[in-house]
Amino acid sequence: MAPEDPRHLSTAAAVQNFAERVAAPGWLPRFLRETTPGRRTLFGEILDWLLVPLMLLLPVSVVLTYVSASALSDPPYDRALGESVQVLAEQLKVRSGKLVADLPVSAREILRADELDTVYFQVLGTRGEFIAGDRDLPLPDEDEIVPSNEVRFRYANYNGVDVRVAWMVAVPPDLQRDTTRAQLSYPLVQVAETLNKRAQLANEIVKGVILPQFLVLPLAVTLVWFGLVRGMIPLSRLSSRIRRRQPGDLSPIDPGEAPEEVAPLIDSINDLMQRLDASLTGQQRFIANAAHQLRTPLAGLKTQAELAERLVHAGADRGELARSLTQITRSTERAARMVNQLLALTRAERDRDGDDSPATPRVALDLLVRERVADFTHAALAKRIDLGCDEARASPLHVAGDLLLLGELVGNLIDNAVRYTPDGGIINVHLRPAPPDGVLLEVEDSGPGIPPHERELVFERFYRVLGSDPDSRNLDGSGLGLAIVREIATRHGARVSIRDNPAGGTVFAVLFPAAPAPAGPGHG
């Protein structure tokens, strides 16, 4: 095989080495991390991703341009070299049965005359014998030597110097092919020259193409820098708008002046600000509710404490002092209960606002209901109330939700029933499956009932049905129990409804949706 163009070997190796580096996974991010340590900016990231590839592609452009220039420099010089071979072949003559090259001295000098390159030639006879020229000029491969009178080209190395060789197997009319010989049957003519002129032409082409690129590159960098600065102006304006906001301004950010690519970020910030606003509103509402509702029990507690102090100083009997201390205890219990319910309500609202997706943990609601019913047995016995739990089921009933919140929901329903059921009344708690796969919880009491037009109002905070207080002890209620029930039910995707009890009283019903497939151990 003929050797490849030696000028391309080093350039091809450089291109291959560069291609292997570029093909390595993550080469550019790694290069950026190694060359620009520390905190990165968006401007710097974009600039790097634009300029670094441009800088890395510049040597590739130089190599490819040189390869193309080398290919372009070959045809004109090959044409001249081929003409020399043809002229030399025309000088072959047969004299006395021998092949000779009839080259005068002047022709030999013209053939070798060149300002930049050294020219070599060689003529071999029909049997491979040397006739004229340079004896040790390398020969082409034997399988390529075919009589055709066609000029062919190859690269070779002669005396340690790379040369371009034009050669042909001449077929003079007065010679006939001798097919019985293994040697050459026709004369071989070769003309070779060094590559100086070709390299010089290729360099001139490269200079003409690459030098303008070096002049254009600073302009391109300047334009990229200017374009990035202009492109970052909307972000700077957006940043200034956000910095000018007051600390309490959580209104959505208008994405109208921002680029379209930044719109998802603005949407995420607006969503975060909306959730933050809901959280802060819940906190402010809790503080306002606590300040408003704790004022009364704390004032009563202060009054009873002052009365007890006066009774002690006045030497009152133990009965009056005991009654005063009892009122202090009840006021303390009422304040503690109100604080606990406010905290429960705030937690239910926070969970609902912070996560709109259904709760995934599975809770055994039947076990939870039995536990909460047992917790209120003492209060029911104090009023001689028949408190019972009826579970119509063949297997455990599970719902998806938070164990503590569900316990608060069940407890508030039972507590509300105990408070508004008169002495000697009946409270029944029912739990059964509901089609298609839900669970229905019902708390049935024999209290005074709730008028239809007030059934939605009872779920408002601090609302009490007028004229429904059969026992003055119910004044200890906070008016938050049913509000908490609705918040927790909403959090768990359940529906709360109120209807009349046919036997007299009220039935509170909570319908829970179907629970997901088991994902882990539940309550109980």
Short mmCIF file of all heavy atoms in Angstrom, two decimals, residues 25-62:
data_model
loop_
_atom_site.label_atom_id
_atom_site.label_comp_id
_atom_site.label_asym_id
_atom_site.label_seq_id
_atom_site.Cartn_x
_atom_site.Cartn_y
_atom_site.Cartn_z
N PRO A 25 -17.08 11.66 28.72
CA PRO A 25 -18.28 12.21 29.36
C PRO A 25 -17.92 13.32 30.34
O PRO A 25 -16.99 13.22 31.12
CB PRO A 25 -18.87 10.99 30.09
CG PRO A 25 -18.26 9.80 29.42
CD PRO A 25 -16.91 10.23 28.95
N GLY A 26 -18.71 14.42 30.25
CA GLY A 26 -18.58 15.50 31.21
C GLY A 26 -17.29 16.29 31.10
O GLY A 26 -16.85 16.89 32.05
N TRP A 27 -16.66 16.29 29.88
CA TRP A 27 -15.35 16.95 29.78
C TRP A 27 -15.47 18.45 29.96
O TRP A 27 -14.63 19.07 30.61
CB TRP A 27 -14.72 16.64 28.42
CG TRP A 27 -15.41 17.30 27.27
CD1 TRP A 27 -16.48 16.85 26.59
CD2 TRP A 27 -15.06 18.57 26.69
NE1 TRP A 27 -16.85 17.72 25.63
CE2 TRP A 27 -15.99 18.79 25.64
CE3 TRP A 27 -14.08 19.51 26.93
CZ2 TRP A 27 -15.96 19.93 24.86
CZ3 TRP A 27 -14.04 20.65 26.15
CH2 TRP A 27 -14.97 20.85 25.12
N LEU A 28 -16.52 19.09 29.41
CA LEU A 28 -16.62 20.54 29.52
C LEU A 28 -16.95 20.99 30.94
O LEU A 28 -16.29 21.90 31.46
CB LEU A 28 -17.66 21.07 28.52
CG LEU A 28 -17.76 22.60 28.44
CD1 LEU A 28 -16.41 23.22 28.18
CD2 LEU A 28 -18.77 23.02 27.38
N PRO A 29 -17.97 20.38 31.63
CA PRO A 29 -18.18 20.79 33.03
C PRO A 29 -16.95 20.58 33.90
O PRO A 29 -16.64 21.39 34.77
CB PRO A 29 -19.36 19.91 33.48
CG PRO A 29 -20.06 19.55 32.22
CD PRO A 29 -19.00 19.46 31.18
N ARG A 30 -16.22 19.48 33.64
CA ARG A 30 -15.02 19.23 34.42
C ARG A 30 -13.96 20.29 34.13
O ARG A 30 -13.27 20.78 35.04
CB ARG A 30 -14.49 17.84 34.10
CG ARG A 30 -13.29 17.44 34.96
CD ARG A 30 -12.92 15.99 34.74
NE ARG A 30 -12.57 15.70 33.36
CZ ARG A 30 -13.34 15.01 32.53
NH1 ARG A 30 -14.51 14.55 32.94
NH2 ARG A 30 -12.97 14.76 31.28
N PHE A 31 -13.84 20.65 32.86
CA PHE A 31 -12.88 21.69 32.49
C PHE A 31 -13.24 23.02 33.15
O PHE A 31 -12.38 23.73 33.65
CB PHE A 31 -12.87 21.85 30.95
CG PHE A 31 -12.03 23.00 30.47
CD1 PHE A 31 -10.66 22.89 30.37
CD2 PHE A 31 -12.65 24.20 30.12
CE1 PHE A 31 -9.90 23.95 29.92
CE2 PHE A 31 -11.89 25.27 29.68
CZ PHE A 31 -10.51 25.14 29.57
N LEU A 32 -14.55 23.34 33.18
CA LEU A 32 -14.98 24.59 33.79
C LEU A 32 -14.71 24.59 35.28
O LEU A 32 -14.31 25.61 35.86
CB LEU A 32 -16.46 24.82 33.51
CG LEU A 32 -16.84 25.02 32.02
CD1 LEU A 32 -18.34 25.21 31.90
CD2 LEU A 32 -16.11 26.21 31.43
N ARG A 33 -14.94 23.44 35.94
CA ARG A 33 -14.70 23.37 37.38
C ARG A 33 -13.21 23.52 37.68
O ARG A 33 -12.82 24.14 38.67
CB ARG A 33 -15.22 22.05 37.93
CG ARG A 33 -16.73 21.97 38.01
CD ARG A 33 -17.14 20.81 38.90
NE ARG A 33 -16.60 19.54 38.45
CZ ARG A 33 -17.24 18.73 37.60
NH1 ARG A 33 -18.42 19.07 37.12
NH2 ARG A 33 -16.70 17.59 37.24
N GLU A 34 -12.36 22.93 36.81
CA GLU A 34 -10.93 22.99 37.07
C GLU A 34 -10.36 24.37 36.81
O GLU A 34 -9.42 24.81 37.48
CB GLU A 34 -10.22 21.95 36.19
CG GLU A 34 -10.57 20.50 36.56
CD GLU A 34 -9.98 19.52 35.58
OE1 GLU A 34 -9.42 19.97 34.56
OE2 GLU A 34 -10.09 18.29 35.80
N THR A 35 -10.91 25.06 35.82
CA THR A 35 -10.35 26.37 35.45
C THR A 35 -11.00 27.52 36.18
O THR A 35 -10.40 28.59 36.27
CB THR A 35 -10.53 26.58 33.93
OG1 THR A 35 -11.92 26.44 33.59
CG2 THR A 35 -9.72 25.58 33.15
N THR A 36 -12.23 27.34 36.71
CA THR A 36 -12.92 28.43 37.40
C THR A 36 -13.46 27.92 38.73
O THR A 36 -14.65 27.64 38.86
CB THR A 36 -14.08 28.96 36.54
OG1 THR A 36 -14.93 27.87 36.17
CG2 THR A 36 -13.57 29.63 35.29
N PRO A 37 -12.59 27.72 39.74
CA PRO A 37 -13.06 27.22 41.03
C PRO A 37 -13.87 28.28 41.75
O PRO A 37 -13.81 29.46 41.44
CB PRO A 37 -11.75 26.91 41.77
CG PRO A 37 -10.75 27.84 41.16
CD PRO A 37 -11.15 27.99 39.72
N GLY A 38 -14.62 27.85 42.77
CA GLY A 38 -15.40 28.77 43.57
C GLY A 38 -16.82 28.86 43.09
O GLY A 38 -17.29 28.09 42.25
N ARG A 39 -17.52 29.86 43.60
CA ARG A 39 -18.94 30.04 43.29
C ARG A 39 -19.12 30.49 41.85
O ARG A 39 -18.42 31.37 41.37
CB ARG A 39 -19.54 31.06 44.25
CG ARG A 39 -21.04 31.23 44.09
CD ARG A 39 -21.57 32.21 45.12
NE ARG A 39 -23.00 32.39 44.96
CZ ARG A 39 -23.72 33.24 45.69
NH1 ARG A 39 -23.12 33.94 46.65
NH2 ARG A 39 -25.01 33.36 45.51
N ARG A 40 -20.06 29.87 41.16
CA ARG A 40 -20.33 30.19 39.78
C ARG A 40 -21.50 31.16 39.68
O ARG A 40 -22.41 31.14 40.49
CB ARG A 40 -20.65 28.92 38.99
CG ARG A 40 -19.54 27.89 38.99
CD ARG A 40 -18.37 28.37 38.17
NE ARG A 40 -18.77 28.61 36.79
CZ ARG A 40 -18.10 29.39 35.96
NH1 ARG A 40 -17.02 30.02 36.36
NH2 ARG A 40 -18.51 29.55 34.71
N THR A 41 -21.49 32.02 38.65
CA THR A 41 -22.60 32.91 38.36
C THR A 41 -23.26 32.47 37.07
O THR A 41 -22.64 31.81 36.23
CB THR A 41 -22.11 34.36 38.23
OG1 THR A 41 -21.23 34.45 37.09
CG2 THR A 41 -21.39 34.81 39.49
N LEU A 42 -24.52 32.86 36.92
CA LEU A 42 -25.23 32.51 35.69
C LEU A 42 -24.55 33.16 34.49
O LEU A 42 -24.40 32.54 33.43
CB LEU A 42 -26.69 32.97 35.80
CG LEU A 42 -27.58 32.69 34.58
CD1 LEU A 42 -27.65 31.21 34.29
CD2 LEU A 42 -28.96 33.27 34.79
N PHE A 43 -24.13 34.41 34.64
CA PHE A 43 -23.42 35.10 33.56
C PHE A 43 -22.15 34.34 33.18
O PHE A 43 -21.86 34.13 32.00
CB PHE A 43 -23.10 36.53 33.99
CG PHE A 43 -22.48 37.37 32.92
CD1 PHE A 43 -23.27 38.11 32.06
CD2 PHE A 43 -21.10 37.43 32.77
CE1 PHE A 43 -22.69 38.90 31.06
CE2 PHE A 43 -20.52 38.21 31.78
CZ PHE A 43 -21.32 38.94 30.92
N GLY A 44 -21.39 33.93 34.20
CA GLY A 44 -20.15 33.20 33.93
C GLY A 44 -20.40 31.85 33.30
O GLY A 44 -19.66 31.42 32.41
N GLU A 45 -21.45 31.16 33.74
CA GLU A 45 -21.77 29.85 33.17
C GLU A 45 -22.09 29.98 31.68
O GLU A 45 -21.58 29.23 30.85
CB GLU A 45 -22.96 29.24 33.91
CG GLU A 45 -22.65 28.76 35.31
CD GLU A 45 -21.89 27.45 35.32
OE1 GLU A 45 -21.78 26.82 34.24
OE2 GLU A 45 -21.41 27.06 36.38
N ILE A 46 -22.97 30.95 31.34
CA ILE A 46 -23.34 31.12 29.93
C ILE A 46 -22.13 31.54 29.11
O ILE A 46 -21.91 31.05 27.99
CB ILE A 46 -24.48 32.15 29.81
CG1 ILE A 46 -25.73 31.66 30.55
CG2 ILE A 46 -24.81 32.42 28.36
CD1 ILE A 46 -26.87 32.65 30.57
N LEU A 47 -21.33 32.45 29.67
CA LEU A 47 -20.14 32.90 28.94
C LEU A 47 -19.17 31.75 28.69
O LEU A 47 -18.60 31.62 27.60
CB LEU A 47 -19.47 34.03 29.73
CG LEU A 47 -18.42 34.85 28.97
CD1 LEU A 47 -19.07 35.59 27.81
CD2 LEU A 47 -17.75 35.83 29.91
N ASP A 48 -18.99 30.91 29.70
CA ASP A 48 -18.09 29.76 29.53
C ASP A 48 -18.61 28.81 28.46
O ASP A 48 -17.86 28.33 27.62
CB ASP A 48 -17.93 29.03 30.86
CG ASP A 48 -17.00 29.78 31.80
OD1 ASP A 48 -16.24 30.63 31.32
OD2 ASP A 48 -17.05 29.51 33.01
N TRP A 49 -19.92 28.53 28.52
CA TRP A 49 -20.47 27.58 27.56
C TRP A 49 -20.47 28.13 26.13
O TRP A 49 -20.57 27.37 25.16
CB TRP A 49 -21.89 27.19 27.96
CG TRP A 49 -21.93 26.18 29.05
CD1 TRP A 49 -22.11 26.39 30.38
CD2 TRP A 49 -21.75 24.77 28.90
NE1 TRP A 49 -22.06 25.20 31.08
CE2 TRP A 49 -21.85 24.19 30.19
CE3 TRP A 49 -21.53 23.93 27.80
CZ2 TRP A 49 -21.73 22.83 30.41
CZ3 TRP A 49 -21.42 22.57 28.03
CH2 TRP A 49 -21.51 22.03 29.32
N LEU A 50 -20.34 29.46 25.99
CA LEU A 50 -20.24 30.04 24.66
C LEU A 50 -18.80 30.19 24.19
O LEU A 50 -18.47 29.85 23.05
CB LEU A 50 -20.94 31.41 24.65
CG LEU A 50 -22.46 31.41 24.74
CD1 LEU A 50 -22.98 32.83 24.81
CD2 LEU A 50 -23.08 30.68 23.56
N LEU A 51 -17.95 30.70 25.07
CA LEU A 51 -16.60 31.04 24.65
C LEU A 51 -15.64 29.85 24.69
O LEU A 51 -14.79 29.71 23.82
CB LEU A 51 -16.04 32.18 25.52
CG LEU A 51 -16.79 33.51 25.41
CD1 LEU A 51 -16.08 34.57 26.23
CD2 LEU A 51 -16.89 33.94 23.96
N VAL A 52 -15.77 29.00 25.72
CA VAL A 52 -14.85 27.87 25.82
C VAL A 52 -14.96 26.94 24.62
O VAL A 52 -13.94 26.57 24.02
CB VAL A 52 -15.06 27.12 27.15
CG1 VAL A 52 -14.25 25.83 27.18
CG2 VAL A 52 -14.66 28.01 28.33
N PRO A 53 -16.18 26.53 24.21
CA PRO A 53 -16.23 25.71 22.98
C PRO A 53 -15.67 26.45 21.77
O PRO A 53 -15.05 25.83 20.91
CB PRO A 53 -17.74 25.43 22.83
CG PRO A 53 -18.29 25.55 24.20
CD PRO A 53 -17.50 26.63 24.85
N LEU A 54 -15.91 27.78 21.71
CA LEU A 54 -15.37 28.54 20.58
C LEU A 54 -13.85 28.50 20.57
O LEU A 54 -13.22 28.30 19.52
CB LEU A 54 -15.87 29.99 20.67
CG LEU A 54 -15.46 30.91 19.53
CD1 LEU A 54 -16.02 30.42 18.22
CD2 LEU A 54 -15.95 32.34 19.80
N MET A 55 -13.25 28.66 21.75
CA MET A 55 -11.80 28.60 21.84
C MET A 55 -11.28 27.20 21.52
O MET A 55 -10.22 27.03 20.91
CB MET A 55 -11.35 29.01 23.24
CG MET A 55 -11.68 30.45 23.61
SD MET A 55 -10.84 31.63 22.53
CE MET A 55 -11.37 33.17 23.30
N LEU A 56 -12.01 26.18 21.95
CA LEU A 56 -11.56 24.82 21.69
C LEU A 56 -11.74 24.42 20.23
O LEU A 56 -11.00 23.59 19.70
CB LEU A 56 -12.32 23.84 22.60
CG LEU A 56 -12.05 23.99 24.10
CD1 LEU A 56 -12.90 23.00 24.89
CD2 LEU A 56 -10.58 23.78 24.42
N LEU A 57 -12.74 25.00 19.57
CA LEU A 57 -12.96 24.67 18.17
C LEU A 57 -11.99 25.40 17.24
O LEU A 57 -11.83 25.00 16.08
CB LEU A 57 -14.41 25.00 17.78
CG LEU A 57 -15.49 24.09 18.35
CD1 LEU A 57 -16.86 24.59 17.96
CD2 LEU A 57 -15.29 22.65 17.88
N LEU A 58 -11.36 26.47 17.73
CA LEU A 58 -10.43 27.21 16.88
C LEU A 58 -9.27 26.34 16.40
O LEU A 58 -8.95 26.33 15.20
CB LEU A 58 -9.92 28.44 17.63
CG LEU A 58 -9.02 29.37 16.82
CD1 LEU A 58 -9.77 29.91 15.60
CD2 LEU A 58 -8.52 30.53 17.69
N PRO A 59 -8.57 25.58 17.29
CA PRO A 59 -7.51 24.71 16.76
C PRO A 59 -8.03 23.63 15.81
O PRO A 59 -7.34 23.24 14.87
CB PRO A 59 -6.89 24.08 18.03
CG PRO A 59 -7.90 24.29 19.11
CD PRO A 59 -8.63 25.53 18.76
N VAL A 60 -9.24 23.16 16.07
CA VAL A 60 -9.82 22.19 15.13
C VAL A 60 -10.01 22.82 13.77
O VAL A 60 -9.74 22.22 12.72
CB VAL A 60 -11.16 21.66 15.68
CG1 VAL A 60 -11.81 20.70 14.70
CG2 VAL A 60 -10.94 20.96 17.02
N SER A 61 -10.46 24.09 13.78
CA SER A 61 -10.63 24.80 12.51
C SER A 61 -9.30 24.96 11.79
O SER A 61 -9.21 24.79 10.57
CB SER A 61 -11.26 26.17 12.78
OG SER A 61 -11.33 26.94 11.60
N VAL A 62 -8.24 25.25 12.56
CA VAL A 62 -6.91 25.39 11.96
C VAL A 62 -6.47 24.07 11.32
O VAL A 62 -5.97 24.04 10.19
CB VAL A 62 -5.89 25.87 13.01
CG1 VAL A 62 -4.47 25.85 12.44
CG2 VAL A 62 -6.26 27.26 13.51
#
